[in-house]
Amino acid sequence: MTRIADCAEVLPGYALKARAEHEPEGSFQVIMARHLSDCMPYRYVSDHELRMTPKGKAEKYRVLVGDVLFISRGTRNCAAVVESVPEDTVASATFYILRPTAQVDPGYLAWCLNQPPVQAQISQVRTGAGTPIVQRSVFADIVIPFPPMIEQKRLAGLGELMRKEQELRKRLVDATETYHKAIGTKLISQLSKTYN
């Protein structure tokens, strides 16, 4: 067992001064909570484009491939591995940017943080009315299991397989629903013609 702070650097996200407005010539891409769908691994797509030029130094808010983004505000406090981002990207203050040490597999860290026992710990330390927050120093002190790297990679791989299964199930449900609607529309149309 080890503290999160002992297996990853816990960095703050960039605090936007006002509502995020897209600046086409902005120097940095910004990741917002809405860009994470169900805390799946984060991959930049053009629909996420939200550029801005930060005031002051943005280096300490820079997001790199292999980082883990943790949503620190609200009640959906989940984690996602960063799989692809443009070179100059920052995360909004909604996130903590976790930069795992060499002894930690990023996929394992995200998987572990999303598991019910760790989520229960996170829920216990969440504070504030309105928009709850998990304080960075308190979050950094949460203790998680720390198995050898081979076991971390195995669990991260298992988590990835489970994620792919969920994705396939969702696509199957969506396709079935579309199929049922098409059949229903066709049958109603035929019935309308027959009994009109």
Side-chain angles (χ1 to χ4, degrees), residues 34-106:
R34 68 176 181 259
H35 297 147
L36 260 64
S37 86
D38 298 328
C39 286
M40 300 293 187
Y42 178 79
R43 296 176 190 97
Y44 173 79
V45 293
S46 58
D47 289 352
H48 295 172
E49 187 174 32
L50 177 60
R51 299 198 66 80
M52 57 161 278
T53 301
K55 309 270 188 276
K57 293 185 179 181
E59 288 304 311
K60 66 179 176 179
Y61 310 107
R62 185 184 295 268
V63 175
L64 307 172
V65 170
D67 286 348
V68 173
L69 296 176
F70 173 76
I71 300 176
S72 63
R73 287 169 170 73
T75 55
R76 188 178 71 116
N77 305 119
C78 59
V81 176
V82 176
E83 291 189 344
S84 74
V85 286
E87 187 176 334
D88 294 321
T89 297
V90 295
S92 72
T94 303
F95 298 105
Y96 295 144
I97 304 160
L98 310 180
R99 190 148 298 145
T101 64
Q103 297 79 32
V104 180
D105 180 80

Side-chain angles (χ1 to χ4, degrees), residues 119-151:
Q119 283 289 307
Q121 289 185 68
I122 292 167
S123 293
Q124 289 176 349
V125 299
R126 193 169 39 224
T127 60
T131 304
I133 185 169
V134 178
Q135 297 294 332
R136 189 159 55 121
S137 60
V138 177
F139 172 74
D141 282 336
I142 288 176
V143 175
I144 60 172
F146 189 61
M149 180 61 81
I150 192 165
E151 186 71 8

